[in-house]
Amino acid sequence: MVLKKFGDTLKGTFRKIAGMSLVDKEAVEMIVHELQRGLIQADVDIAMVAELSKNIKKKVLEDKLPPGLSLKELFIKTLYDEIVAFLGEEKAEIKIGKQKILVAGLFASGKTTSIAKIAKWFKVRGLNPGLVACDTHRAAAQEQLKQLAQKVGAAFYAEGKKPEDIARNALKNAKEDVLIFDSAGRDALDKELARELKELGKIIKPDEVLLVIPADIGQAAKKQAEEFNKLVGITGVVVTKLDGTAKGGGSLAATAVSGAKVKFIGTGEKIGDLELYDPKRFVARLIGYGDIQGLLEKAKEAGLDESDVKKIMEGQFTMIEFQEQIKSMRKMGPLSKVAEMVPGLSGMKIPDGMLDIQEEKMTKWQYMIDSMTKDERENPETIKQNRIIRIAHGSGTSDIEVRELLKYYKQIKKIMKLTKGGKGFKRGPFARIAKQMGLKT
Ligand SMILES: Nc1nc2c(ncn2[C@@H]2O[C@H](COP(=O)(O)OP(=O)(O)OP(=O)(O)O)[C@@H](O)[C@H]2O)c(=O)[nH]1
Ligand SMILES: [Mg+2]
């Protein structure tokens, strides 16, 4: 889960306010105090936390209430706006077209993995990527990039001995739209690394120089972004490993305050775990508003269309559609990640492990559903004792497994009903505020 701790803090904060019948000065003080604690735990710089709380309190408690808003609504809106501003505010821009990208960063920050992810990202947007292996420092680096290139279906270039020669040769020979240059990592941004990156920059003349920063360095991201910018010049940052650290909030806030733009975020080890960074949508998801646009993008990447997503969100399904939808969702990534993007669902507490379905189980479910009659598939509620045993026999499974499927179906249906197919926020108490936040619901 992305930004687990930070996300939980934010979600908890918003849920708490939503549940308050009266928001007064005391409540604001208390909630801001809790938020401070969560931010500090996420390794956000203390001075920045103090500044943020001051801003929030001023806007909510001292400024005049804008017409048509209650204090509670103003509080929610202010929190959202300020946290978005804190984490970068503007959506990242990246040209979807022919270009050259140089990727830099310290040892093991996630450069090579991110290059493969970025290549895939462009590929699903109709462009051809080519990967250039300019890391001659680490023995297996070129082989690693080569394998990743094969995996994503990108061209690969490594002709030459020195990084500079490899870059030159690739520029001469490559015909791909997006050329991405890998570079060697170092323990620190020393003279040697700076020289190499500058030299590569002169030869490549990149449109983008992306610095890769792992989220687990927290607030130290500020210094790193500033140093790289000063010595080699960067156009943006890729923050990786946001899935694996409590310090993710700190790293994002620190990068934002350095003046560098976060362009992509890495949210896992798989090739698909990369997103163009959009703080508005990102925060919306963290606080439980979901992210329809993100969901649609994931769907597109998985080769699904909008109607598949709509069906998932409407939650009106029989046993036949049930399996189809779980399949669709799984194509978009682990269910727990997809669930974060479904409005309503993302704010909900879902039992642990419920969204962790293995391939093997899905196959068994297919057999069980195949063994049901048409009527049973359309009305699974009618499946009781004798029928359960018959279905288990017919599908070569056990009655316990059939019961499990039925239970799972019921649970999912219940949850989807609660989210009202993602319409909860369209009509619910948050609707007006969501509109004010500029969120698409
Ligand atoms: N969980 C998680 N792991 C990641 C992410 N990005 C990269 N990694 C892992 O981080 C490790 C280092 O990744 P690399 O891409 O090899 O890093 P690098 O910067 O190219 O490393 P060097 O070339 O040795 O400097 C690998 O185990 C990756 O799987 C991410 O977003 N989430
Ligand atoms: Mg590497």
Side-chain angles (χ1 to χ4, degrees):
M1 182 118 136
V2 183
L3 288 192
K4 177 90 178 82
K5 213 179 183 121
F6 189 64
D8 283 350
T9 302
L10 289 186
K11 215 176 271 184
T13 304
F14 278 80
R15 215 186 269 146
K16 203 172 262 171
I17 307 173
M20 285 176 169
S21 52
L22 180 77
V23 172
D24 55 11
K25 185 162 184 289
E26 226 165 71
V28 173
E29 300 269 2
M30 180 192 82
I31 296 241
V32 171
H33 186 75
E34 272 174 29
L35 181 68
Q36 283 178 333
R37 215 172 40 200
L39 290 172
I40 288 166
Q41 275 173 4
D43 202 34
V44 179
D45 175 65
I46 299 210
M48 283 175 72
V49 175
E51 178 74 22
L52 177 80
S53 341
K54 208 177 80 193
N55 284 346
I56 294 173
K57 281 199 234 170
K58 182 181 174 301
K59 283 190 182 154
V60 179
L61 298 175
E62 292 170 29
D63 292 358
K64 238 176 91 188
L65 206 62
L69 275 194
S70 68
L71 188 63
K72 177 169 158 176
E73 288 168 334
L74 176 68
F75 189 27
I76 293 175
K77 179 176 152 40
T78 307
L79 269 175
Y80 173 76
D81 288 344
E82 292 294 320
I83 291 164
V84 169
F86 199 63
L87 294 185
E89 195 133 33
E90 272 159 61
K91 184 180 171 201
E93 295 281 349
I94 199 137
K95 184 172 77 179
I96 302 189
K98 210 171 157 63
Q99 63 191 301
K100 293 169 288 183
I101 302 173
L102 173 60
V103 176
L106 299 183
F107 264 140
S109 50
K111 291 179 293 300
T112 308
T113 313
S114 298
I115 287 172
K117 291 176 178 178
I118 294 170
K120 168 90 192 292
W121 192 89
F122 278 108
K123 216 178 145 101
V124 294
R125 284 161 182 80
L127 292 155
N128 276 324
L131 311 188
V132 189
C134 297
D135 178 2
T136 53
H137 205 71
R138 187 163 62 79
Q142 294 192 326
E143 186 55 33
Q144 183 195 1
L145 189 68
K146 188 176 174 183
Q147 283 178 11
L148 287 168
Q150 271 168 2
K151 200 163 159 189
V152 296
F156 174 75
Y157 299 93
E159 187 197 327
K161 273 224 158 66
K162 288 196 316 200
E164 292 84 350
D165 299 334
I166 297 169
R168 271 195 209 97
N169 285 329
L171 289 169
K172 203 165 62 194
N173 299 325
K175 303 269 182 297
E176 283 74 26
D177 308 308
V178 183
L179 287 185
I180 314 175
F181 297 78
D182 196 7
S183 65
R186 298 286 199 287
D187 283 330
L189 181 50
D190 54 18
K191 280 208 182 89
E192 179 52 24
L193 178 58
R195 187 205 61 76
E196 190 172 297
L197 288 172
K198 267 192 212 158
E199 199 59 36
L200 281 174
K202 267 189 219 151
I203 296 165
I204 299 167
K205 299 189 183 62
D207 303 85
E208 299 273 358
V209 179
L210 298 181
L211 168 66
V212 176
I213 294 182
D216 53 19
I217 68 168
Q219 55 179 294
K222 174 167 177 270
K223 195 160 155 253
Q224 212 175 94
E226 284 170 350
E227 274 180 9
F228 267 85
N229 199 26
K230 207 168 104 198
L231 283 179
V232 295
I234 57 172
T235 60
V237 174
V238 182
V239 179
T240 59
K241 310 186 190 180
L242 275 169
D243 52 310
T245 172
K247 295 185 177 179
S251 62
L252 287 171
T255 310
V257 82
S258 79
K261 292 244 170 300
V262 178
K263 296 233 167 169
F264 287 106
I265 52 175
T267 58
E269 289 189 77
K270 296 220 176 67
I271 301 284
D273 296 332
L274 180 88
E275 295 168 33
L276 193 66
Y277 185 53
D278 181 346
K280 280 200 178 86
R281 277 166 47 189
F282 187 67
V283 175
R285 205 162 88 204
L286 287 182
I287 65 178
Y289 274 89
D291 176 6
I292 302 234
Q293 247 170 301
L295 203 61
L296 290 174
E297 262 160 44
K298 277 253 173 291
K300 203 167 108 193
E301 285 168 22
L304 307 168
D305 60 24
E306 249 178 70
S307 69
D308 292 309
V309 177
K310 242 188 164 152
K311 270 191 211 146
I312 290 170
M313 295 201 358
E314 274 164 7
Q316 289 191 0
F317 44 77
T318 64
M319 207 41 114
I320 313 160
E321 288 137 355
F322 171 64
Q323 176 133 21
E324 282 307 309
Q325 283 173 28
I326 301 255
K327 264 194 205 153
S328 297
M329 280 173 88
R330 277 174 53 106
K331 277 194 205 148
M332 293 193 259
L335 287 185
S336 52
K337 271 193 190 167
V338 178
E340 276 178 32
M341 296 189 181
V342 179
L345 199 57
S346 65
M348 211 169 272
K349 265 205 156 42
I350 293 170
D352 273 351
M354 182 167 171
L355 295 173
D356 184 23
I357 312 166
Q358 305 304 322
E359 202 61 56
E360 197 189 344
K361 200 178 257 181
M362 295 285 293
T363 312
K364 276 194 181 170
W365 285 0
Q366 186 64 59
Y367 294 151
M368 294 180 213
I369 294 171
D370 286 346
S371 295
M372 292 174 191
T373 63
K374 184 168 174 289
D375 185 57
E376 283 165 349
R377 280 183 217 140
E378 280 164 6
N379 307 293
E381 306 75 34
T382 61
I383 305 177
K384 296 272 146 63
Q385 188 59 19
N386 287 342
R387 293 180 166 201
I388 289 175
I389 292 168
R390 197 207 74 237
I391 292 166
H393 267 293
S395 57
T397 59
S398 69
D399 57 337
I400 296 172
E401 286 170 309
V402 176
R403 274 181 224 282
E404 192 191 33
L405 167 64
L406 292 171
K407 190 173 143 210
Y408 194 84
Y409 167 82
K410 229 164 105 183
Q411 274 179 327
I412 288 274
K413 202 161 170 158
K414 197 167 119 201
I415 287 179
M416 291 316 242
K417 227 180 191 160
L418 280 172
T419 71
K420 298 189 187 71
K423 290 192 193 101
F425 285 124
K426 229 177 209 160
R427 304 204 189 102
F430 272 128
R432 257 157 30 99
I433 313 165
K435 224 174 172 178
Q436 296 242 5
M437 290 177 183
L439 292 175
K440 253 181 141 166
T441 53

